[in-house]
Amino acid sequence: MRNQLKHYINGEWTESTGSEVIEVINPATEEVMGKISSGTEEDLDKAVKAARAAFPAFSRSTKEQRIEWLEKIVQGYEARKEELIEVMTDELGAPLSVSEEVHYPMGLGHFKQAIDSLSDFSFTEERGGHTLLKESIGVSGLITPWNFPTNQLSTKIASAIAAGSPVILKPASKTPFAAIIVAEIIDEAGLPAGAFNLVNGSGSVIGNGISSHPDIDFVSFTGSGGVGETIMQKAAETKKKVALELGGKSPVVVLDDANVEEAAKTAISHITKNTGQVCSAGTRVLIPESMKEEFEQKVVEFLPNYPVGDPRKEGVATGPLVSEDQWETVQSYIEKGENEAKLLVGGAGKPEGLPTGYYAKPTFFTDVSNDSVIAQEEIFGPVSVIITYSDVEDAIEKANDTKYGLAGYVVGQDPVQLSYVASSIRAGRIVVNNAETDFNGPFGGYKESGIGREWGDFGIEEYLEVKSVHGMPTS
Ligand code: NAP
């Protein structure tokens, strides 16, 4: 059992002022794996005061000093690799291989990238008639979701440290333990007291408190659109800047010269990796009418190669969903889909032989209309839809016929068509033929997928204000 009933405030693990606890459930066993404190407004207030007090010195720290802190965090993160992998598997249900190959390196990648970006970053620019200064935005509140326990908090914390902005982190209460390990790593990296604070607790108390706190200058949120809307409304009261990384319903455009086997594997991996609980997952497959039948056959043939099961068991590709609520939501969408379209493979209920744990069947629907509920709403589970298109213009129109714009994927061979489709999709990140992730590539959404960008130098800019100084003395 992992218990951490303290918050990390002003450089110390500090008793909560409240007595309520939140139980954290292992989604594979449905058992309590640990407890955290349900923080209070008083706890948050202490953290904000600590961050405010840290601000003057932290915001004036040198680039070299910030790089040194980030390097120590990288070393600490690497030293705790095994523990981080195990914790993410237990709290999220990600197979050990996914924790090791996806979650662990993503968290690490942002800290390393921040060092690279910071090395080349200029906080002062001469622009003819004025000097531009980029200065810390102030105290920043970070609110993160459960689906990538270290990825989102790492990009936010790394960028904030690079910018000299003190933070208060509220991780998701379903997956707090990886965040607690990261806090321990930061503690050892020797940041000034108050520069990094972690307050555990519910979204309704700590998340809400961060959004409305008059002494917090900026809120960086990753999570659902509904909560994003609430945060914007709360933040409006104190006119603070808000960055939102929200949901998606991203298209996978399969061009008519694509290798159909590769296209089927790409589509499958989007709903099996992390059990489809990925904001940027490609869950709307757009396929030429002429390829539909062969594509469907390949999906049905290859899907058993991505087995669902105990995330600690070797060879398992797809673990459980994170919680019972999430399982219920996914089931209700599958049931809707059964009325709206044709079930190709998968379906409602638990996979055979897995009565315990929040397991769902990887599911593809076909003959799906782009305006149906399962084609328009984010399901956040292992469910994908196959939609046909007549020509490339029709594919682009369907790809963009969504309120979201987080990501898009293109599979094919002709470089002219690939570039044309990549530049025509209205989304913040496009991946052509499964290209590798570049941690310096900005991440964020068009339309209702969010406001702002994270990762690399764009991520650092979020934690900065710009000041124009006219008549700055030159010596
Ligand atoms: P969520 O319910 O919106 O929760 C996200 C975070 O917000 C959690 O820490 C939650 O706390 C907190 N929260 C809840 N209510 C709040 C409130 N009223 N005020 C302030 N904070 C509040 O989202 P989720 O279910 O964890 O994550 C899934 C969603 O995140 C999906 O829509 C997904 O697409 C999106 N997402 C987007 C990105 C991206 O980069 N664009 C990345 C990953 C996920 P509790 O944990 O205590 O509820």
Side-chain angles (χ1 to χ4, degrees), residues 93-164:
L96 283 170
S97 59
V98 175
S99 292
E100 181 167 1
E101 290 156 26
V102 181
H103 292 291
Y104 171 79
M106 289 200 78
L108 183 63
H110 294 302
F111 286 114
K112 286 186 166 174
Q113 180 60 48
I115 296 169
D116 278 0
S117 298
L118 193 51
S119 307
D120 299 332
F121 202 90
S122 184
F123 289 90
T124 310
E125 225 180 284
E126 289 305 330
R127 289 160 53 99
H130 69 277
T131 303
L132 189 78
L133 303 183
K134 294 186 177 179
E135 301 178 337
S136 161
I137 196 166
V139 173
S140 304
L142 318 178
I143 306 173
T144 53
W146 44 262
N147 65 328
F148 278 76
T150 58
N151 170 48
Q152 290 104 350
L153 59 88
S154 297
T155 184
K156 292 180 199 300
I157 296 168
S159 300
I161 293 174

Side-chain angles (χ1 to χ4, degrees), residues 143-148 152 170-174 201-204 206-208 211 221-225 227-228 230-231 245-248 278-279 326 378 380 406 443 449 454:
I143 306 173
T144 53
W146 44 262
N147 65 328
F148 278 76
Q152 290 104 350
K170 187 220 101 58
S173 41
K174 288 189 180 83
S202 71
S204 54
I206 305 302
N208 211 27
S211 315
F221 168 75
T222 302
S224 60
V227 172
T230 307
I231 288 173
E245 295 288 344
L246 308 174
V278 181
C279 52
Q326 193 66 18
E378 183 186 47
F380 224 54
L406 189 57
F443 188 93
S449 287
E454 300 199 295

Side-chain angles (χ1 to χ4, degrees), residues 80 107 154 186 212 244 311 339 371 384 461:
R80 297 190 66 179
S154 297
I186 295 174
S212 54
L244 304 175
N339 294 323
D371 58 10
S384 186
E461 299 276 358

Side-chain angles (χ1 to χ4, degrees), residues 54-69 118 123 134-136 160-166 190-192 195 464:
F55 174 73
F58 192 54
S59 61
R60 287 182 176 273
S61 55
T62 62
K63 209 156 108 163
E64 292 67 34
Q65 176 66 78
R66 293 174 197 172
I67 289 175
E68 209 177 301
W69 287 321
L118 193 51
F123 289 90
K134 294 186 177 179
E135 301 178 337
S136 161
I161 293 174
S165 298
L191 264 75
L464 294 169

Side-chain angles (χ1 to χ4, degrees), residues 429-440:
R429 168 166 294 213
I430 306 295
V431 180
V432 178
N433 288 333
N434 297 312
E436 271 187 32
T437 297
D438 174 4
F439 283 96
N440 199 30

Side-chain angles (χ1 to χ4, degrees), residues 165-178:
S165 298
V167 301
I168 297 110
L169 168 70
K170 187 220 101 58
S173 41
K174 288 189 180 83
T175 57
F177 292 116

